Amino acid sequence: MPDTPATALDQTVFARQSVRAFLPTPVSEATLHHLLRQARQAPSGANLQPGRFIAVQGEARQRLSEALTEAWQRGEPEAEDYGYFPRPMPMTLRKRQVAAAQALYGALGVGREDRAGRDAHFGRNFCFFDAPVALVVTIDRDFGPGGYMDLGMSLYGLMLAAQAQGLGTCAIGALASYPAIVREQLGLDAREFIVCGMAIGHPDPQAPVNQARTTRCELGEFFRVIG
């Protein structure tokens, strides 16, 4: 932490985490709309404001979750709309990935050899961790990396806005592994690339999974001064 007075923004930023267990308390439509308007205040090159947020509810949400779960259980991944992980994965990044998994499954009490336990938790991605709000995030297929950068800033803005309201969030990258299924279930055009899902709701403070914490690399690992 810096040697400067803590601010309200500090409290929001450093308290934010990925929440994977939620209380059944609903999130009002007015609250969700306010959060999305805050998220859209993120910077955007030429003010293009790429990306769309789709709230999936009721029977549509149930059908989507069932279709995704069935495809995953069959072991039938699709061609993703965009690449996320570097290939091959450098060892420095692989170590961070492994550490994050250890923190998550350690909080759940799921051992490395417990494949069934790990699969059971991973499968919860497709039901949006039972959060009251389930969003699917898309972007027009013609956008290049800059559009994803701008959309990423909006996603982080949404996460911070929710945190400031006492809500929790979790970005769900697993949805991007089944873009055709998501488009089919939601009736989306082929131009809409599937970026991720987003779960929003009131965190369950008693859930073991919400006790998981990941670390961030030290300043010297990603910052330098030239000159």
Side-chain angles (χ1 to χ4, degrees), residues 23 26 29 32 51 63 68-69 96 113 116 168:
L23 298 173
E29 185 176 273
L32 178 59
R63 289 194 301 269
L68 291 169
T69 299
R96 293 179 190 173
E113 70 289 345

Side-chain angles (χ1 to χ4, degrees), residues 99-112:
Q102 289 173 336
L104 174 61
Y105 292 113
L108 287 167
V110 175
R112 182 177 181 181

Side-chain angles (χ1 to χ4, degrees), residues 14-29:
F14 290 106
R16 189 213 64 79
Q17 66 177 100
S18 292
V19 172
R20 296 180 174 88
F22 297 86
L23 298 173
T25 309
V27 175
S28 71
E29 185 176 273

